[in-house]
């Protein structure tokens, strides 16, 4: 273990308590993030909530700059909201779908997104079409190209699915969207913080992300990117006095920037914490983070493959920090419970979260999800596989 990893673990109180392989659920926050949140809450208690926000005005505004430099856009293209789902919804429900429009998506789509497609299709008469996976399990860019026609209004893609290590070719999909002149919405919830992301390179119009997963921010934080040139075309489904101005008794004017997708009241403490988490990641460097996560996850996959009855379920050629597997004759929930007892955190991905993909692969029982971060170690992976082998064999 390098000196730097030792320092990063020292700065992560949770590393002294548990082996945390649930980073795709919520990562362990580093101390500077926790401290920033608690200090702000304390100031709210001491001097008042409005007054504390005014005192930290520059820090709070700086969160937009931190996000903008993380993903390569400008600060007026960012909305900070309460989670990634709401960020995604605000973009998706702003798109004026009509009868006959087509939404193209992938097999690994997240349940919340797919439920929204179904609701909008029911309301408007649009249709959703699922692009099949290629031989490796990623969205087939060839099939996507073939599916492009006049009716396509939106390509909506999940970058990294919730249930496995697959990384979809976002930039290639972005090229197809650009060539066809259709909107491209990217759900980057699981990729943000583990994979370097540049929205100009990917060429998406909209992107949603969460704070609590690989970014190591607090729960209940998320953000939305919307490219400047399409902002005027997207009227948010909800407006308030922050997103718009009541400019006359019978008039209102929607804000010009991406904050039209926000609402007025917010959790300033966690917003500040999100900013600190992003600065923390940026200081380490996303390229280095991605390189280490990839190495640890590959190590975990190859060790799992040696265990009796274990099948690694990750798809794709490029694989990220999410490692999914099943154990013959054992329920994922039972594996999770037994690992809990050994103070090892994993989670279970049930079929209904990514219904199409899991059904296609016959994974109705769900899978165990062990998601690693850069602060995890080879020793922890060793402990994990040792405990798992005991669970399997005893
Ligand atoms: C976790 C997740 C979400 C939802 O994020 P929230 O912050 O809980 O709203 C959306 N999409 C994917 C792919 C996810 O894994």
């Amino acid at each position: 273990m390098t000196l730097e990893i030792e320092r990063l673990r020292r700065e992560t109180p949770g590393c002294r308590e548990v082996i945390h392989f649930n980073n795709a659920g919520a990562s362990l926050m580093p101390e500077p993030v926790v401290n920033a949140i608690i200090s702000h809450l304390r100031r709210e208690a001491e001097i008042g909530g409005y007054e504390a926000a005014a005192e930290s005005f520059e820090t709070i505004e700086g969160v937009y700059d931190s996000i903008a430099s993380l993903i390569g856009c400008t600060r007026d293209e960012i909305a900070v909201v309460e989670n990634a789902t709401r960020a995604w919804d605000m973009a998706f429900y702003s798109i004026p779908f009509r009868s006959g429009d087509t939404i193209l998506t992938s097999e690994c789509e997240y349940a919340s997104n797919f439920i929204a497609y179904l609701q909008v299709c029911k309301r408007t008469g649009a249709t959703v079409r699922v692009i099949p996976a290629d031989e490796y399990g990623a969205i087939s860019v060839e099939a996507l190209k073939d599916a492009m026609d006049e009716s396509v209004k939106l390509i909506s893609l999940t970058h990294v699915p919730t249930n496995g290590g697959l990384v979809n070719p976002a930039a290639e999909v972005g090229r197809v969207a650009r060539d066809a002149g259709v909107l491209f919405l990217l759900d980057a919830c699981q990729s943000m913080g583990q994979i370097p992301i540049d929205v100009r390179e990917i060429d998406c119009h909209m992107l949603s992300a969460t704070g609590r997963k690989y970014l190591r921010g607090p729960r209940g934080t998320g953000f939305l990117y919307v490219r400047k040139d399409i902002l005027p075309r997207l009227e948010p489904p909800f407006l308030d006095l922050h997103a718009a101005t009541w400019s006359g008794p019978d008039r209102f004017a929607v804000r010009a920037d991406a904050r039209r997708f926000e609402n007025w009241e917010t959790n300033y403490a966690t917003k500040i914490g999100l900013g600190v988490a992003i600065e923390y990641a940026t200081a380490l460097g996303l390229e280095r983070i991605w390189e280490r996560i990839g190495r640890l996850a590959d190590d975990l996959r190859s060790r799992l493959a040696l265990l009796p009855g274990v099948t690694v379920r990750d798809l794709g050629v490029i694989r990220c920090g999410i490692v999914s597997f099943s154990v013959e004759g054992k329920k994922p929930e039972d594996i999770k419970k037994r690992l809990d007892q050994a103070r090892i955190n994993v989670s279970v991905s049930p079929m209904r979260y990514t219904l199409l993909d899991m059904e296609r692969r016959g994974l109705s029982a769900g899978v165990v999800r062990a998601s690693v971060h850069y602060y995890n170690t080879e020793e922890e992976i060793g402990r994990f596989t040792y405990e798992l082998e005991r669970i399997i064999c005893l």
Side-chain angles (χ1 to χ4, degrees):
M1 191 174 29
T2 67
L3 286 175
E4 190 188 21
I5 296 298
E6 274 176 40
R7 171 180 69 80
L8 296 170
R9 288 178 64 80
R10 264 200 314 278
E11 287 177 3
T12 306
C15 286
R16 294 189 279 279
E17 306 290 328
V18 288
I19 293 181
H20 193 67
F21 287 178
N22 189 16
N23 295 289
S27 286
L28 298 174
M29 285 184 281
E31 222 140 36
V33 172
V34 182
N35 292 344
I37 297 167
I38 293 172
S39 313
H40 189 79
L41 282 177
R42 200 163 281 133
R43 287 305 279 165
E44 287 188 348
E46 284 164 2
I47 65 167
Y50 283 50
E51 294 72 14
E55 186 180 74
S56 291
F57 177 77
E58 277 172 27
T59 307
I60 293 160
E61 283 301 308
V63 177
Y64 295 86
D65 299 307
S66 301
I67 297 170
S69 61
L70 177 71
I71 64 171
C73 67
T74 60
R75 67 197 313 281
D76 51 342
E77 294 174 306
I78 295 299
V80 180
V81 292
E82 56 267 44
N83 55 52
T85 303
R86 197 48 84 236
W88 188 95
D89 282 342
M90 289 304 275
F92 177 72
Y93 283 95
S94 294
I95 301 168
F97 289 103
R98 280 195 300 259
S99 176
D101 287 343
T102 304
I103 300 165
L104 297 180
T105 191
S106 73
E107 283 185 341
C108 71
E109 203 62 6
Y110 192 59
S112 299
N113 301 357
F114 215 92
I115 290 166
Y117 305 146
L118 294 175
Q119 186 192 32
V120 159
C121 288
K122 198 168 102 187
R123 280 181 182 171
T124 65
T127 46
V128 58
R129 215 173 129 188
V130 179
I131 302 301
D134 67 15
E135 60 194 300
Y136 304 105
I139 185 173
S140 163
V141 178
E142 286 313 308
L144 177 68
K145 282 181 190 159
D146 290 342
M148 297 306 296
D149 63 32
E150 289 295 297
S151 75
V152 177
K153 182 129 193 183
L154 172 74
I155 300 173
S156 179
L157 180 72
T158 296
H159 197 187
V160 166
T162 190
N163 64 330
L166 172 71
V167 182
N168 267 319
E172 287 176 54
V173 170
R175 236 167 284 138
V176 177
R178 184 181 51 208
D179 291 347
V182 307
L183 291 172
F184 177 26
L185 166 59
L186 186 68
D187 176 341
C189 222
Q190 291 293 1
S191 49
M192 193 62 67
Q194 68 164 321
I195 302 177
I197 287 181
D198 182 328
V199 288
R200 304 284 189 244
E201 198 181 299
I202 292 174
D203 218 354
C204 53
H205 298 91
M206 300 153 282
L207 170 147
S208 56
T210 196
R212 72 170 190 280
K213 294 177 179 173
Y214 277 89
L215 277 176
R216 308 186 66 193
R219 296 196 66 172
T221 56
F223 64 84
L224 173 68
Y225 155 78
V226 178
R227 206 169 84 185
K228 208 175 294 182
D229 58 321
I230 66 147
L231 273 169
R233 282 165 54 193
L234 296 182
E235 186 173 309
F238 316 121
L239 290 171
D240 74 345
L241 49 66
H242 172 82
T245 305
W246 194 10
S247 43
D250 55 0
R251 289 193 308 279
F252 65 90
V254 184
R255 279 182 80 119
D257 63 14
R259 294 192 209 187
R260 60 171 52 195
F261 299 104
E262 296 182 347
N263 58 77
W264 190 84
E265 176 55 358
T266 195
N267 186 332
Y268 286 101
T270 54
K271 190 167 178 175
I272 291 169
L274 173 67
V276 174
I278 291 171
E279 287 302 317
Y280 197 86
T282 307
L284 288 172
L286 262 298
E287 291 290 346
R288 293 174 62 225
I289 290 173
W290 175 218
E291 195 267 329
R292 180 169 168 89
I293 290 175
R295 201 149 28 82
L296 289 173
D298 282 344
D299 181 23
L300 176 53
R301 283 187 198 100
S302 36
R303 291 201 202 202
L304 283 172
L306 298 175
L307 297 183
V310 173
T311 310
V312 175
R313 299 292 185 183
D314 300 316
L315 301 173
V317 177
I318 301 163
R319 293 172 180 184
C320 68
I322 304 178
V323 178
S324 60
F325 63 93
S326 357
V327 180
E328 208 183 314
K330 301 236 190 272
K331 286 197 189 113
E333 288 79 10
D334 293 338
I335 299 282
K336 177 185 152 34
K337 240 177 261 160
R338 294 286 302 277
L339 287 167
D340 277 347
Q341 287 162 5
R343 300 180 72 76
I344 297 173
N345 298 341
V346 296
S347 62
V348 172
S349 292
M351 179 164 81
R352 65 181 186 281
Y353 285 9
T354 44
L355 187 69
L356 300 179
D357 169 55
M358 299 286 266
E359 246 179 14
R360 180 177 64 87
R361 294 196 279 151
L363 298 173
S364 58
V367 291
V368 184
R369 184 180 71 174
S371 44
V372 295
H373 214 316
Y374 62 76
Y375 58 75
N376 291 125
T377 63
E378 287 82 358
E379 290 76 17
E380 288 181 317
I381 290 170
R383 257 288 305 290
F384 173 84
T385 40
Y386 170 78
E387 292 293 343
L388 185 63
E389 187 165 14
R390 276 172 34 116
I391 293 166
I392 294 169
C393 298
L394 294 182

